[in-house]
Amino acid sequence: MAKTLRVVVPPHPLIAHWLTVLRHQGTPAPLCRTAMEELGRWLTYEALRDWLPHRRDTVQTPLASTEGTVIEAGVPLLAVPILPGALHLWEGARQVLPSAELCLGGLPEAIETQAGVVLLLDQISQGDDLIDLLRSLERLGVEAPRLRVITTLTASPGLKRIGETYPEITIHTACIDAELDEQQRILPGIGDPLQRLGIRTSQAT
């Protein structure tokens, strides 16, 4: 049976609200950053719903013994925000992943055998950046079941390319837009993420 890329768009009104705030051309940079953080928080929450390792445990309350659920602390989790665009996405995600190891500036040289990996990207347009990351993770031995991708926005052409190469991964996003314009920008999209977020990048001299 052919495998199909799994793209999850959670039907949560808070996710839809913050995406709308981020889309609006009149939204100032500080509020755009808040919107990105909120999307990072809620999308990460949804991404972990059926994926985060956990176990049943018996605890003693002040009155009686009962059974509950605890996160499996023995399974490491690595968060990889692709900077600078995913910086504020991570700021929201970290509220849901307080014990995750943060990896800045690219992938580490090695990843533990059982570790889960969360990739955060500001958006997916053509899909090239994500495909390159997935190839690097593949060389490090990280396969689809150990991976989740979280991104604010995706474009159908980019998802098609990713699905042709890595159909087993799961992507959580606030929306799938249908088109790219002649400059490969997502339509209707959110515009230039770095500009909208007020992030300046250094220019090579």
Side-chain angles (χ1 to χ4, degrees):
M1 181 182 294
K3 294 184 173 66
T4 304
L5 179 69
R6 182 168 180 248
V7 183
V8 180
V9 182
H12 198 298
L14 282 173
I15 292 175
H17 167 81
W18 287 113
L19 176 61
T20 302
V21 171
L22 190 60
R23 282 196 193 273
H24 198 293
Q25 67 176 355
T27 302
L31 187 52
C32 279
R33 293 194 287 269
T34 297
M36 188 72 84
E37 291 174 13
E38 289 295 326
L39 287 170
R41 178 158 67 111
W42 291 106
L43 288 170
T44 302
Y45 173 85
E46 293 290 341
L48 299 183
R49 182 189 296 273
D50 60 352
W51 184 67
L52 197 63
H54 57 275
R55 59 181 169 82
R56 302 295 291 175
D57 195 18
T58 300
V59 295
Q60 182 68 38
T61 80
L63 300 178
S65 177
T66 187
E67 191 176 63
T69 299
V70 294
I71 300 302
E72 188 56 77
V75 179
L77 190 62
L78 182 66
V80 186
I82 307 307
L83 303 178
L87 174 64
H88 294 285
L89 203 62
W90 160 246
E91 288 298 327
R94 71 188 304 176
Q95 300 174 45
V96 187
L97 302 171
S99 61
E101 180 182 352
L102 177 61
C103 184
L104 296 175
L107 298 173
E109 294 182 0
I111 295 177
E112 295 180 59
T113 304
Q114 299 300 318
V117 179
V118 179
L119 289 179
L120 299 117
L121 300 89
D122 56 2
Q123 62 179 10
I124 296 173
S125 53
Q126 296 172 276
D128 295 339
D129 291 345
L130 180 56
I131 289 172
D132 289 344
L133 279 169
L134 294 174
R135 284 177 178 151
S136 297
L137 285 167
E138 192 174 39
R139 290 192 289 269
L140 292 170
V142 178
E143 299 178 345
R146 294 169 54 197
L147 176 68
R148 285 292 182 273
V149 177
I150 297 171
T151 184
T152 302
L153 194 64
T154 58
S156 292
L159 293 177
K160 183 176 184 297
R161 289 197 61 199
I162 295 164
E164 290 169 349
T165 311
Y166 291 99
E168 298 180 9
I169 69 166
T170 300
I171 298 173
H172 282 73
T173 183
C175 187
I176 302 172
D177 283 351
E179 299 177 346
L180 297 174
D181 67 10
E182 294 179 354
Q183 296 175 277
Q184 304 305 306
R185 298 175 300 187
I186 301 177
L187 288 178
I190 59 173
D192 181 340
L194 300 187
Q195 184 180 54
R196 298 295 312 282
L197 295 169
I199 297 176
R200 293 187 180 183
T201 56
S202 59
Q203 299 293 327
T205 57

